[in-house]
Amino acid sequence: LAVLATGCADGPAAPDQDQVDFELASFDVMGDGYGYGSDGMGVTGGVHRGPRDVPVLGRLLVQARATVVAEQGREAAQAMFATLDALRREAHAARRAGDRELFREKIEAAHAEAARLIVEILGASRAQELIDVARARLAVLDEVIAGRQAAGQPVARLEQASVRAGELITAAESSLASGEVIRAMIQASRAAQLAHVAAHHGARQGRG
């Protein structure tokens, strides 16, 4: 993964809750930094300094690539990940060009290819693992909401994020039950990232 970014503690300066588009943040499932702030496309990049806050799909992708390198060598990994790498470059180019529609098309195609590679290399069981992670992160978000409510602080946008994350988890479970493993992974990853970003910013504001 060449470009890793989050809006969390080890990444770029985190904006206030009112400036964060939690729904957009949920699309940053690989750690490309497409979910934070605004650079004319509604997104901004950055360089992440550690793996702790890299989105879970991104971490699985790193693990999948490392597995191929260890078992088959770097050339094999390069060939296997060529389509994904091309899609990510094209997404970057579309962002720089200000083409929202093409950007969204390329990044969603990249998500699907990333999930396909993870399933092929690491196994379909990772979809349920992602759903479990998403549920755990949603529980953390709900705890942050409860704490802010007890302190008399606003929670409307955090509650909206919680509802949306819950919807994505439900959709992921339905997709997995229908055998749509790749779709389930993407939905669960978005839920996990949405809950994580919202909880982080809610907690930051609560401390402020």
Side-chain angles (χ1 to χ4, degrees):
L1 296 176
V3 181
L4 298 178
T6 70
C8 301
D10 295 327
D16 292 336
Q17 180 187 327
D18 288 343
Q19 296 176 315
V20 177
D21 185 334
F22 296 137
E23 181 71 10
L24 183 60
S26 74
F27 281 91
D28 186 30
V29 298
M30 293 191 298
D32 285 304
Y34 293 145
Y36 302 92
S38 177
D39 64 358
M41 283 292 289
V43 294
T44 188
V47 178
H48 184 66
R49 293 192 287 256
R52 179 174 60 86
D53 289 316
V54 175
V56 286
L57 195 73
R59 275 183 268 168
L60 288 177
L61 194 59
V62 170
Q63 183 180 343
R65 191 188 292 263
T67 297
V68 176
V69 169
E71 295 178 353
Q72 303 179 44
R74 293 189 179 279
E75 289 187 3
Q78 184 175 0
M80 188 173 293
F81 283 75
T83 297
L84 173 61
D85 293 339
L87 286 168
R88 297 176 86 171
R89 288 193 299 271
E90 290 165 2
H92 277 282
R95 185 182 70 167
R96 288 193 299 271
D99 190 333
R100 287 177 178 270
E101 184 175 346
L102 182 60
F103 165 79
R104 184 70 166 263
E105 175 187 327
K106 293 298 182 180
I107 202 62
E108 289 186 347
H111 292 169
E113 176 65 6
R116 185 193 69 78
L117 286 167
I118 291 167
V119 170
E120 178 180 341
I121 298 165
L122 302 179
S125 64
R126 297 307 176 102
Q128 184 60 56
E129 290 180 22
L130 284 174
I131 291 173
D132 293 341
V133 168
R135 285 206 170 278
R137 291 190 172 184
L138 178 56
V140 171
L141 173 57
D142 289 340
E143 288 178 2
V144 170
I145 291 171
R148 287 177 61 87
Q149 284 177 323
Q153 297 170 333
V155 295
R157 294 192 65 244
L158 295 178
E159 287 180 327
Q160 291 171 1
S162 175
V163 169
R164 179 58 179 148
E167 291 172 346
L168 285 166
I169 291 170
T170 298
E173 291 174 331
S174 177
S175 294
L176 187 57
S178 300
E180 298 179 272
V181 178
I182 291 173
R183 181 183 294 272
M185 292 186 72
I186 295 170
Q187 291 165 331
S189 296
R190 286 191 58 197
Q193 185 65 3
L194 172 58
H196 179 65
V197 172
H200 173 77
H201 287 287
R204 277 180 67 97
Q205 281 208 328
R207 291 194 297 269

